[in-house]
Amino acid sequence: MREKATTLYIGPQHPGITGNMMVKVQVEGDTIVKARTEVGYLHRAFEKLQERRNWLQSFTLLCRFCVPEPDPVEESYARAVELLEGREVPERAKYIRVLMLELARIGSYMLWFGGQNGSLGLYTMGQWSVGDRNYILDLFEELTGGRVYHMYIWPGGVRRDLPEGFADKVLRTMDYLEKRLKDYDDLMFENTIFQKRTQGVGIISKEKAVEWGVVGPVLRGCGIKSDIRIDDPYEVYDKLDFIVPTHEGGDIWSRALVRRQEIRQSIHIIRQVIEKMPSGEIYNRIPNPHKWALPKGDAYARTEATRGEVGMYIVSDGSTHPRRVHFRGAAYVHAITLLEDILVGENVADISAIMNSLGTCPPEIER
Amino acid sequence: METVLMNILGAVATFLVAFVVGMTYGGLSRKITARVQNRKGPPFYQNFIDAFKLGSKKSAIHHGAMHHLGPAFLMVSSVMTLMLVPVLTHNNWYPNLNFKGDLIFLLYIMTFGPLGMALGAGQTGNPNSAIGVTRGLSQMVGFEIPWVLALVSLMIQYHTTSITGLMAAQAHTGTWLMFSSPFAFIAAVMAMLGMFRYSPFDIVGAPTELASGPIAESGGKYLFVMMSSGSVFTFAKLTLYVDLFMGGADNLGILLIKTFALYLIPMLYGVTTPRYRTEQAVRWFWGWPSFFGLLAILQAVIF
């Protein structure tokens, strides 16, 4: 006999949700039979608001597209503007940008560790990793003046050069984090209960991943080697040596492993950046921002963030303000269409864990 | 008359001791967990502050009579359990309500509170509460098996169904049952992990899954009563384990050392593990813990 379905509202106010959104699920027993995501709780009209700001003023909005990792959004916007205008960026600034992006990647994964493990009840892991993330934020604060929102990467380069002794601090922090990864492995990846909760859960097949336009660690967790840093290199990624980890399972476990290995790769990249960084200018100065008009046309730049590919499409009508700005966030696909599909058949206890494994970021959905 | 009065005063004193010790253990648990997690953590007396705050609040939400009675059932169950468990071995200021067969009665009365709470949570109409209750009862079905097997093995081995009888057996042989009946002790301790509902068995109120489950619709005074009864129940359960397996305690100091040592087991295990799903938890209890329970029965029958 068919059981009567119960409707559960996971969000918008729920400890298991990854931000301001809701997943409405119908469950029979513990099994999900239908899932619908609902967004609209966080719409701030960022894209529209940018049309009322000049090309530089947009940065106060850009960093709020995805709070855990604002730097890739800044970088993609800055690069799109540079592409449209044909503005050159000094080599040193490119290295500093990569340094920022990789530090942001590690910091974002540290925060993700907290969310993923919190969804499974392993709160110690989150306390450790979010605590360690503070060392990254300390570096950001020293370099940019802000811990979370930086507005540091902007058209023409970066806002300021590295302070004295900063490179050594970065290397010391990387040494520390590399040691801590062993503790993370002991607590999380070698924990049999974590394995039981994540292996074979939230599976995405390779075919479905391609069909739905899945990107980033979620795609790489399906065994597909895809990374904008390799496929369409930007800044100085083509001068750096690193690998793109992949795993075949397509489940939460595989996605977690990919992220874990990417932290090590980011540490490796940062060390190379410090070693290879040339001296010189960091900023190709733009004119007075209030009078700075971009040529008529459009441009698109894409960056590899921790959720996957983020892209910025800008249109200029030749004035001092954008005519249109459109942001492509990975979470749009992951948290709406994909989530609704893969939740069906899963256990109600795994909703939060699956959401976290997809890197859902509601502010990125509602621009 | 004077004896009755002394018993009443003794019972009240026992309740107060249980409340203070249970709340303090809860506070220490928060502190120790925080230190493991590289945090400073709240002061050990934070639970008292929280309880006072909750007790001072007015409750505006009303879900019906059973919702009111749910926390009361919990408290009744906790107090009755406490009254049945000998707190100190040579207790001359409060003779507890022990009698022949009290161990069997205790098995029933320990499940009374959660069942009452289930009725209360069910009346709220919140699906999270209902699912939480279902999970709690399922988990109870899981850990009751090794727990009962362990107790039955002790009853068989020592020919008594009385807690004081088992304590007397330990006093007579001079050996704690945790050493003379190791399989029963292991099964009972594994079952204890489920009773205390620390991770990986915190499935009842899993915040990220059920938004705190059965207590989702409760606040203020309801939470105060639940918190207080939980503290009393914690003390009663730990004291029961000390009585059954660690020879009881002659004085409060010894009791605190033994109970806290036991309390550390589920707490520290919980700090380092994620949460099981319901069926995984039940399967776990029906695995190794039940196997050790069966070994305990075999030991009792053969030896």
Side-chain angles (χ1 to χ4, degrees), chain B residues 47-58 220-221 224:
Chain B
N47 273 7
F48 291 101
I49 297 170
D50 293 347
F52 178 75
K53 181 199 74 177
L54 291 170
S56 312
K57 282 187 171 181
K58 286 182 181 172
K221 288 187 170 62
F224 167 68

Side-chain angles (χ1 to χ4, degrees), chain B residues 164-303:
Chain B
T164 44
L166 289 169
M167 293 171 75
Q170 294 176 83
H172 179 68
T173 58
T175 309
W176 294 355
L177 293 192
M178 66 183 285
F179 298 118
S180 56
S181 305
F183 298 124
F185 179 67
I186 293 169
V189 166
M190 290 171 115
M192 184 173 76
L193 298 176
M195 282 184 209
F196 278 85
R197 292 182 184 168
Y198 279 106
S199 197
F201 304 107
D202 56 336
I203 61 174
V204 178
T208 51
E209 296 170 17
L210 299 177
S212 298
I215 63 169
E217 292 289 326
S218 299
K221 288 187 170 62
Y222 293 100
L223 288 177
F224 167 68
V225 176
M226 289 181 207
M227 195 175 177
S228 307
S229 62
S231 299
V232 172
F233 203 35
T234 294
F235 178 80
K237 283 184 286 189
L238 290 170
T239 307
L240 176 66
Y241 270 75
V242 169
D243 287 345
L244 291 179
F245 296 102
M246 299 167 83
D250 288 334
N251 58 58
L252 196 59
I254 301 282
L255 182 69
L256 292 179
I257 292 170
K258 288 181 177 177
T259 51
F260 193 67
L262 276 171
Y263 185 64
L264 284 174
I265 297 171
M267 191 197 73
L268 289 179
Y269 184 58
V271 175
T272 56
T273 52
R275 180 188 310 119
Y276 271 130
R277 282 204 306 253
T278 313
E279 79 280 6
Q280 290 172 334
V282 173
R283 204 177 300 138
W284 188 84
F285 284 117
W286 289 355
W288 286 106
S290 297
F291 175 72
F292 281 114
L294 288 171
L295 283 183
I297 297 274
L298 275 178
Q299 185 195 0
V301 171
I302 294 169
F303 301 102

Side-chain angles (χ1 to χ4, degrees), chain A residues 120 123-124 128 191 197 350, chain B residues 36-37 208 271-272 275 277:
Chain A
L120 297 169
Y123 303 110
T124 300
W128 283 5
N191 190 314
R197 287 296 307 267
D350 295 325
Chain B
V36 173
Q37 295 175 345
T208 51
V271 175
T272 56
R275 180 188 310 119
R277 282 204 306 253

Side-chain angles (χ1 to χ4, degrees), chain A residues 175-246:
Chain A
D175 291 343
Y176 168 77
L177 291 178
E178 199 167 36
K179 281 181 198 158
R180 285 291 277 168
L181 286 178
K182 178 74 179 67
D183 296 334
Y184 294 1
D185 289 346
D186 290 343
L187 187 63
M188 181 178 166
F189 291 99
E190 289 176 18
N191 190 314
T192 52
I193 301 177
F194 181 81
Q195 292 171 10
K196 282 181 183 174
R197 287 296 307 267
T198 56
Q199 289 175 353
V201 178
I203 293 179
I204 308 165
S205 66
K206 270 185 189 179
E207 295 74 25
K208 190 180 280 183
V210 174
E211 184 187 336
W212 290 79
V214 171
V215 287
V218 182
L219 184 62
R220 295 191 282 277
C222 298
I224 297 173
K225 193 172 179 178
S226 167
D227 190 316
I228 306 296
R229 294 174 295 175
I230 298 282
D231 301 337
D232 183 13
Y234 52 95
E235 306 300 356
V236 289
Y237 278 110
D238 53 346
K239 296 173 184 169
L240 301 168
D241 171 44
F242 63 100
I243 59 165
V244 179
T246 58

Side-chain angles (χ1 to χ4, degrees), chain B residues 5-141:
Chain B
L5 187 66
M6 284 304 292
N7 281 354
I8 291 170
L9 288 175
V12 171
T14 308
F15 174 80
L16 290 175
V17 167
F19 174 76
V20 170
V21 173
M23 293 285 268
T24 307
Y25 281 8
L28 288 171
S29 160
R30 292 170 71 174
K31 191 77 182 170
I32 292 169
T33 302
R35 298 311 301 158
V36 173
Q37 295 175 345
N38 283 349
R39 292 185 288 122
K40 186 180 177 187
F44 75 90
Y45 51 83
Q46 184 64 43
N47 273 7
F48 291 101
I49 297 170
D50 293 347
F52 178 75
K53 181 199 74 177
L54 291 170
S56 312
K57 282 187 171 181
K58 286 182 181 172
S59 295
I61 299 171
H62 182 272
H63 287 293
M66 281 314 299
H67 182 236
H68 280 305
L69 288 173
F73 285 143
L74 267 183
M75 182 57 93
V76 168
S77 169
S78 302
V79 172
M80 283 188 75
T81 305
L82 181 68
M83 294 299 118
L84 284 168
V85 175
V87 176
L88 297 176
T89 313
H90 305 294
N91 183 355
N92 52 11
W93 52 275
Y94 170 59
N96 71 301
L97 307 174
N98 59 74
F99 53 89
K100 277 186 181 177
D102 58 2
L103 199 51
I104 295 171
F105 182 65
L106 198 71
L107 279 173
Y108 283 97
I109 210 66
M110 283 173 77
T111 60
F112 173 72
L115 287 173
M117 187 62 204
L119 291 173
Q123 199 180 35
T124 64
N126 188 320
N128 288 312
S129 300
I131 294 175
V133 161
T134 314
R135 286 180 169 202
L137 297 179
S138 303
Q139 180 162 287
M140 195 187 288
V141 170

